[in-house]
């Protein structure tokens, strides 16, 4: 048993039914909480735990006490800076314009896809894939239901179409020259983000090394450019033919392949 679904400690019939529906949707077992702690459930069933509460979905990987949950994370701060007219390195690298289409092959928390949605506007298309089923489900639900008074952020989140799929499978299913920009931010090297939620994401997410097949498929699907984000010490820029955008004060760099 890999993951069980349960409710918060204090719950009601509405959220019990919601948790049961989510369990059925994900083909996972539902377990009655019965006032047990998350740790007790992890130990009893030797499994991860997905908790359905009023506020949000929380995923507790076995052996951990801190949950993974959806939050706009750095996207909210970046969007506020953009609205003030400040630059964003990601948008400089992708060169996204109104009406463009963007394919994020490594969605995670969708922070970059949210910013891409701002750049491309309502006429743009944002497609993102995430290989981990639980992460994809939590983030997809959060993009649709996260409560905020920041109207622009909410609009951008709702314009992201996130699916549970492996990057290579998603790319192979796409037609040639079908997206203006194809993007990848593989989590297999040194830690770049420093938020606690990102550290949890990194610990539970799938780690794949960039491959020549991945890059070639991205080049086939992209109309304008393929963009990669990686630690500044990474060798993948040179290894796969990316033109590196160097930022002296940044822990990460972007690489570009023009189509």
């Amino acid at each position: 048993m890999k993951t069980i679904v349960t409710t918060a400690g204090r719950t009601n019939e509405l959220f019990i039914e919601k948790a049961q529906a989510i369990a059925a949707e994900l083909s996972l077992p539902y377990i009655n909480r019965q006032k047990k702690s998350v740790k007790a459930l992890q130990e009893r069933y030797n499994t991860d735990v997905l908790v359905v509460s009023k506020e949000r979905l929380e995923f507790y990987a076995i052996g951990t006490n801190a949950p993974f949950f959806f939050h706009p994370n750095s996207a909210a701060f970046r969007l506020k800076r953009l609205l003030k007219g400040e630059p964003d390195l990601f948008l400089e690298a992708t060169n996204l314009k109104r009406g463009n289409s963007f394919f994020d092959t490594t969605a995670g928390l969708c922070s970059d896809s949210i910013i891409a949605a701002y750049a491309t506007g309502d006429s743009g298309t944002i497609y993102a894939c995430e290989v981990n089923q639980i992460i994809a489900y939590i983030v997809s639900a959060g993009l649709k239901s996260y409560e905020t008074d920041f109207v622009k952020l909410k609009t951008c989140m709702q314009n992201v179409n996130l699916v549970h799929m492996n990057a290579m499978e998603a790319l192979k299913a796409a037609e040639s020259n079908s997206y203006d920009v194809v993007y990848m931010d593989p989590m297999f090297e040194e830690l770049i983000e420093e938020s606690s939620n990102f550290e949890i994401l990194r610990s539970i997410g799938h780690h794949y090394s960039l491959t020549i097949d991945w890059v070639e498929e991205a080049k086939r699907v992209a109309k304008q450019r393929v963009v990669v984000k990686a630690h500044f010490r990474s060798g993948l820029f040179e290894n796969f033919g990316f033109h590196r955008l160097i930022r002296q004060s940044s822990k990460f760099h972007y690489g570009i392949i023009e189509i």
Side-chain angles (χ1 to χ4, degrees):
M1 190 184 296
K2 179 56 179 172
T3 303
I4 60 173
V5 181
T6 190
T7 61
R10 294 183 179 181
T11 191
N12 55 42
E13 285 300 320
L14 177 64
F15 285 95
I16 290 174
E17 292 176 3
K18 183 177 179 180
Q20 291 172 334
I22 289 173
E25 186 175 352
L26 295 174
S27 300
L28 298 173
Y30 167 78
I31 301 295
N32 193 319
R33 183 72 178 258
Q34 295 182 329
K35 298 183 179 180
K36 292 184 176 66
S37 68
V38 168
K39 183 178 180 181
L41 289 173
Q42 289 173 326
E43 293 175 349
R44 168 68 176 80
Y45 296 98
N46 189 32
T47 186
D48 303 330
V49 179
L50 177 61
V51 176
V52 180
S53 69
K54 180 179 179 181
E55 292 79 19
R56 63 196 186 192
L57 300 176
E58 296 183 342
F59 178 73
Y60 293 82
I62 190 167
T64 66
N65 295 317
F68 169 77
F69 55 90
F70 174 77
H71 190 280
N73 212 35
S74 61
F77 302 106
R78 291 166 65 189
L79 185 54
K80 288 177 180 178
R81 291 197 293 264
L82 282 165
L83 292 172
K84 292 178 181 178
E86 297 179 25
D88 185 271
L89 296 180
F90 163 77
L91 292 185
E92 289 183 18
T94 55
N95 195 35
L96 287 166
K97 308 296 184 185
R98 298 288 174 184
N100 278 173
S101 53
F102 175 77
F103 190 150
D104 185 350
T105 65
T106 50
L109 282 163
C110 281
S111 296
D112 288 321
S113 284
I114 293 169
I115 298 303
Y118 164 75
T120 59
D122 292 337
S123 59
T125 300
I126 308 299
Y127 181 78
C129 62
E130 168 55 48
V131 65
N132 183 293
Q133 181 189 34
I134 300 297
I135 292 174
Y137 191 87
I138 291 174
V139 175
S140 182
L143 289 169
K144 296 181 179 69
S145 63
Y146 184 80
E147 292 296 329
T148 177
D149 294 328
F150 192 173
V151 177
K152 191 65 177 177
L153 174 63
K154 195 164 189 175
T155 299
C156 291
M157 289 192 296
Q158 293 176 345
N159 284 344
V160 176
N161 176 29
L162 173 63
V163 298
H164 165 226
M165 190 177 289
N166 174 279
M168 281 296 290
E169 292 176 355
L171 284 168
K172 287 180 178 179
E175 295 182 4
S176 298
N177 306 312
S178 54
Y179 287 86
D180 290 296
V181 177
V182 176
Y183 178 67
M184 59 269 286
D185 177 11
M187 290 193 304
F188 63 91
E189 295 187 318
E190 299 182 56
L191 181 65
I192 295 175
E193 300 285 349
E194 295 180 348
S195 69
S196 58
N197 205 27
F198 186 86
E199 289 182 17
I200 298 170
L201 171 64
R202 182 178 172 82
S203 70
I204 65 176
H206 291 259
H207 295 240
Y208 292 114
S209 295
L210 199 63
T211 65
I212 189 63
D213 288 341
W214 189 349
V215 174
E216 289 301 315
E217 277 298 309
K219 288 163 64 176
R220 180 187 65 81
V221 172
K223 287 190 286 186
Q224 296 183 11
R225 60 178 57 181
V226 176
V227 179
V228 68
K229 176 184 177 182
H231 196 276
F232 73 92
R233 283 192 286 260
S234 174
L236 66 79
F237 301 104
E238 293 74 21
N239 292 342
F240 295 101
F242 286 90
H243 169 66
R244 186 198 295 247
L245 298 183
I246 297 174
R247 296 292 184 271
Q248 297 296 339
S249 60
S250 179
K251 289 184 177 180
F252 61 88
H253 289 165
Y254 290 100
I256 299 169
I257 295 176
E258 297 280 3
I259 305 301

